[in-house]
Amino acid sequence: MSTCLFWSNGLVRRPASACVADVSDSDVALVTGLDIQGRRWQVWLHLDVAAALLVEVPEDMDDTSLWITTPEFEQALTQQRAALDAEVPADAEGALMWASAGGVQPLAQQPRIEELLRGHETFVEELFDLLLDELGFPEATHSAPKS
């Protein structure tokens, strides 16, 4: 499942900033933002789950279920999680720059965005919504279906 956001300040007709969250089972999301200048930022939400997805399975391992029970997997998982966590400050900065380029004033400062990027909300969709809120994007209004 993917959740998309396209933002335009509505004052002029021009391309909009875009943000897509590629969500998997409400457990993990890869969020990608693109501004009107073509600059892109990307971040994982639910870093523990993302780290487990990103750990490479050794080529000689035929059964992945055996791999995840080994100390080598735990070590690789710890290293991958640390690598993702080390990227959080730059990811938060990229998200804030994207929001500013989209013509909105972020509500939060970088430490709050970093906190969200390290968050463990029950559902990753809720974390994505919180991130967009803190970046200053107003909640979309939905009109009632016309009968």
Side-chain angles (χ1 to χ4, degrees), residues 15-138:
S17 294
C19 185
V20 176
D22 188 10
V23 177
S24 178
D25 294 332
S26 296
D27 292 328
V28 66
L30 180 60
V31 178
T32 304
L34 182 67
D35 69 23
I36 59 174
Q37 282 82 33
R39 292 179 299 233
R40 180 176 80 110
W41 64 275
Q42 205 166 41
V43 64
W44 286 97
L45 298 180
H46 282 191
L47 298 183
D48 293 332
V49 179
L53 290 174
L54 296 172
V55 169
E56 292 189 34
V57 179
E59 289 182 25
D60 62 345
M61 184 63 62
D62 294 330
D63 187 349
T64 307
S65 65
L66 295 176
W67 162 241
I68 63 172
T69 63
T70 67
E72 292 82 8
F73 172 78
E74 286 301 319
Q75 181 181 7
L77 181 62
T78 300
Q79 291 173 344
Q80 184 64 58
R81 174 63 166 88
L84 289 174
D85 190 69
E87 295 173 9
V88 167
D91 293 338
E93 183 179 2
L96 288 164
M97 289 172 54
W98 169 78
S100 294
V104 298
Q105 181 62 40
L107 303 175
Q109 298 294 316
Q110 185 164 335
R112 173 64 178 144
I113 301 302
E114 290 179 23
E115 177 185 336
L116 289 173
L117 296 182
R118 291 182 173 111
H120 296 91
E121 297 298 319
T122 304
F123 297 108
V124 76
E125 294 91 344
E126 292 173 11
L127 187 55
F128 180 60
D129 286 345
L130 284 170
L131 177 63
L132 292 177
D133 289 347
E134 293 292 339
L135 289 173
F137 286 89

